[in-house]
Amino acid sequence: MNQQPTRIESESFPELRIFLLDWFRKNKRELPFRINKNAYRIWVSEIMLQQTRVAAMLPIYENFLERFPDPNSLKEASEEEVMKYWKGLGYYSRARNLKKGAALLVDRHSGKFPKTYEEALEIPGVGSYTASAVLSIAYNKTYAVLDGNVKRVLSRLFLVESDPTSSATDRFLGTLAREFLNPDSPGDHNEAMMELGALVCVPIPNCPVCPWNDRCKARAAGKEKEIPASKVVDNWIELDLNFLFLRSEEKLLAVKYPGRRFFKTIYSLPFRVEGKHPYGNEPWLEDFFSDPGLSQNRSNARHSITNHKIRLRYCELDLKNRKDVERKIGSVPGLEWKWFDESELKEEFPSSISGKLLKLKNKRDKQQELPVGNV
């Protein structure tokens, strides 16, 4: 698809907007962030929904808001506690920015999400999409959202066949979204566009239930499944991550430091990247992984982070002298550590990886408990 995007005639816009809002008001999902127009709750939901599906986000969202019902409670909480309530969503920089943003709201805006686009963009982690979403939905400001769902809906509705990954197409769709925005109900319009893209105008569209079934130009041209062109992910990196259950005095070690490739902002078990990979390992880890008392488990589990396909493994090491361990890791710049009970692993290492490692470990423990029959 090398065509350049062309001008869209706007005569049909008013009628299309009416059909869209009528569909939305009849079919929208009852979601907790739609209960009221609270800008803080909407902002939290939009940040959580980045890279995360609604179904996976909802239970975490409700627990998060129960603990942090307003910007001040989020500002006053420790980063470690915020990370615990973020567990399961991944991309932990979002949680860190959310906490920084809450502090900014309290310090500059009396605990309220600002009502201007320029001020919204000053909030850490808030870009054009999030600012437009919150301002339009909470305050009915006339800013159009443009996420992946909206791009797909617009491209099909108006038969935009140009390269969906090009900056020219992106600019064109941004202009189209602004022109198509319903000036009387911008918040409902934006939510309706995102909802339509999430429920109906999905990658393999369910055209018969679409409010624009007989008005969609891609469907009329028989190209509804071709537009926009699929993005092929051809840069997957395969990794082995070997996590270390390092025990001393009946406690496990967790570390956090900014110098590593993964989990820069949260505590995790120490880990080493193995196999062919483009990343380096930390020299201080090698003393532990080369210890003659190291016990390696052969089982593994699958995981993925962005464009990484990961095989999870784990090993165990018991060291009697905790002070020797702390002397070794104490010289690593920026490294923080703590000791904790293994029963608290999911809380102290707030990633779905911790649950997968525990399943591997429990499986191994059960196998070791099985009686051995006579040969």
Side-chain angles (χ1 to χ4, degrees), residues 35-206:
I35 293 174
N36 55 43
K37 300 295 183 181
N38 182 289
Y40 170 71
R41 294 174 62 91
I42 294 169
W43 170 47
V44 172
S45 74
E46 290 296 339
I47 298 299
M48 285 189 171
L49 284 170
Q50 295 170 6
Q51 308 291 334
T52 307
R53 294 184 178 277
V54 172
M57 164 269 207
L58 284 179
I60 299 171
Y61 173 79
E62 295 185 287
N63 288 335
F64 190 93
L65 283 178
E66 185 176 350
R67 171 60 185 88
F68 311 114
D70 51 51
N72 190 66
S73 59
L74 183 54
K75 173 193 173 182
E76 296 299 325
S78 68
E79 181 175 302
E80 186 175 350
E81 184 181 17
V82 174
M83 292 301 179
K84 288 181 181 180
Y85 277 86
W86 193 266
K87 179 188 171 184
L89 291 174
Y91 302 93
Y92 290 91
S93 61
R94 294 181 295 166
R96 191 172 68 253
N97 282 333
L98 202 59
K99 177 171 166 54
K100 291 178 181 177
L104 186 146
L105 297 192
V106 172
D107 297 341
R108 296 191 194 175
H109 302 289
S110 302
K112 304 292 185 181
F113 196 94
K115 293 186 177 182
T116 70
Y117 185 76
E118 292 72 23
E119 288 177 317
L121 290 180
E122 294 175 355
I123 300 171
V126 171
S128 177
Y129 165 78
T130 303
S132 298
V134 178
L135 292 175
S136 65
I137 298 169
Y139 303 135
N140 216 34
K141 299 283 187 176
T142 53
Y143 293 102
V145 300
L146 189 69
D147 66 354
N149 284 337
V150 175
K151 288 180 181 180
R152 185 168 59 250
V153 170
L154 290 173
S155 296
R156 286 172 173 165
L157 178 60
F158 297 110
L159 194 61
V160 179
E161 297 186 85
S162 53
D163 182 357
T165 64
S166 73
S167 56
T169 301
D170 200 64
R171 288 193 300 270
F172 176 78
L173 290 174
T175 300
L176 178 57
R178 290 190 292 272
E179 293 177 352
F180 187 50
L181 181 69
N182 189 325
D184 298 321
S185 303
D188 282 353
H189 177 98
N190 281 332
E191 285 200 273
M193 290 289 286
M194 293 186 284
E195 192 83 332
L196 190 68
L199 300 181
V200 176
C201 197
V202 291
I204 300 177
N206 187 9

Side-chain angles (χ1 to χ4, degrees), residues 5 330 332:
V332 181

Side-chain angles (χ1 to χ4, degrees), residues 36 44 58 65 80 82 87 105 107 205 219 227-229 237 243 251 271 275 284 293 302 307 326 337 371:
N36 55 43
V44 172
L58 284 179
L65 283 178
E80 186 175 350
V82 174
K87 179 188 171 184
L105 297 192
D107 297 341
R219 180 163 172 76
I227 296 175
I237 299 173
F243 286 85
K251 298 285 186 178
F271 66 90
W284 64 270
R302 292 291 179 179
N307 65 325
E326 293 179 351
W337 74 85

